[in-house]
């Protein structure tokens, strides 16, 4: 259950709504355009095929009408000893409302159910907000690594995004 979402005008009013965590399904992708470009959603679709084979889990936090408002994956192939969280995203208008925390805790539970005792992730160095969340949840930095992926521009062009990520982990 989501504890509360503060209205945009930061008044004392709050809205509380129940949410559920379940597997992300291919039929959910049209409702997840907020999470990235068409190129990104095609990548998520490919990852859902890997989920069917058990290589990954891909989770969705959903509203009472079953719309995803937070999504993220766990890859079990990156490390034999850990589940690797990746592609974590929360609907921008609902960020800082506890959905990311709920998603990460659900992912950690899935990792534990696999018999693994560690979660890992990488966060871009220029994303202090996400890093603060991970640190608050007990993740500790242990290294840095250059990473790159394709991103789609507003005109549909594809370019390579290169960055440096902080590697973080947490014992479960």
């Amino acid at each position: 259950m989501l504890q509360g979402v503060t209205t945009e005008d930061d008044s004392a009013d709050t809205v509380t709504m129940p949410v559920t965590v379940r597997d992300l399904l291919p039929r959910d992708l049209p409702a997840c355009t907020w999470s990235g470009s068409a190129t990104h959603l095609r990548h998520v679709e490919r990852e859902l095929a890997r989920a069917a084979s058990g290589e990954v889990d891909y989770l969705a936090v959903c509203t009472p009408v079953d719309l995803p408002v937070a999504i993220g994956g766990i890859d079990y192939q990156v490390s034999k000893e850990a589940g690797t969280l990746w592609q974590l995203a929360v609907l921008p208008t609902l960020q800082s409302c506890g959905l990311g925390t709920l998603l990460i805790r659900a992912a950690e539970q899935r990792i534990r159910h696999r018999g693994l005792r560690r979660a890992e992730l990488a966060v871009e160095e220029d994303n202090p907000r996400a890093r603060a969340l991970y640190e608050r949840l007990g993740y500790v930095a242990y290294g840095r690594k250059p990473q790159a992926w394709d991103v789609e521009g507003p005109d549909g062009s594809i370019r390579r995004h290169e960055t440096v990520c902080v590697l973080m982990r947490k014992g479960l």
Side-chain angles (χ1 to χ4, degrees):
M1 167 89 84
L2 177 64
Q3 296 300 315
V5 177
T6 304
T7 57
E8 197 160 321
D9 64 3
D10 292 329
S11 69
D13 298 332
T14 60
V15 174
T16 302
M17 70 174 165
V19 293
T20 57
V21 180
R22 62 167 173 78
D23 290 326
L24 184 71
L25 303 171
R27 67 176 166 83
D28 295 319
L29 293 179
C32 294
T33 56
W34 53 266
S35 71
S37 68
T39 299
H40 169 74
L41 290 175
R42 284 191 298 275
H43 185 260
V44 172
E45 187 173 30
R46 286 191 302 273
E47 295 304 323
L48 292 179
R50 290 182 64 212
S53 70
E55 293 179 7
V56 304
D57 282 324
Y58 217 111
L59 305 178
V61 178
C62 298
T63 67
V65 294
D66 207 32
L67 286 174
V69 291
I71 61 174
I74 312 155
D75 195 321
Y76 300 105
Q77 303 300 304
V78 176
S79 170
K80 291 181 181 183
E81 293 94 28
T84 302
L85 284 65
W86 97 118
Q87 294 184 346
L88 302 172
V90 175
L91 180 70
T93 57
L94 293 178
Q95 290 178 354
S96 298
C97 295
L99 294 170
T101 297
L102 180 64
L103 178 64
I104 292 167
R105 287 186 176 149
E108 292 170 350
Q109 184 176 29
R110 291 278 183 108
I111 293 167
R112 280 192 295 274
H113 283 296
R114 290 273 185 131
L116 301 171
R117 296 290 170 243
R118 191 173 71 239
E120 297 179 346
L121 57 84
V123 60
E124 287 185 81
E125 284 185 327
D126 64 355
N127 191 349
R129 185 174 177 184
R131 184 171 175 177
L133 168 65
Y134 304 141
E135 288 173 344
R136 185 172 49 78
L137 295 176
Y139 286 79
V140 177
Y142 69 92
R144 297 171 68 238
K145 180 180 179 182
Q147 292 191 346
W149 54 86
D150 291 336
V151 295
E152 183 177 338
D155 62 353
S157 64
I158 305 295
R159 69 173 177 79
R160 196 75 173 156
H161 175 75
E162 296 183 7
T163 189
V164 176
C165 289
V166 176
L167 305 175
M168 303 183 80
R169 64 180 161 217
K170 175 184 175 180
L172 302 177

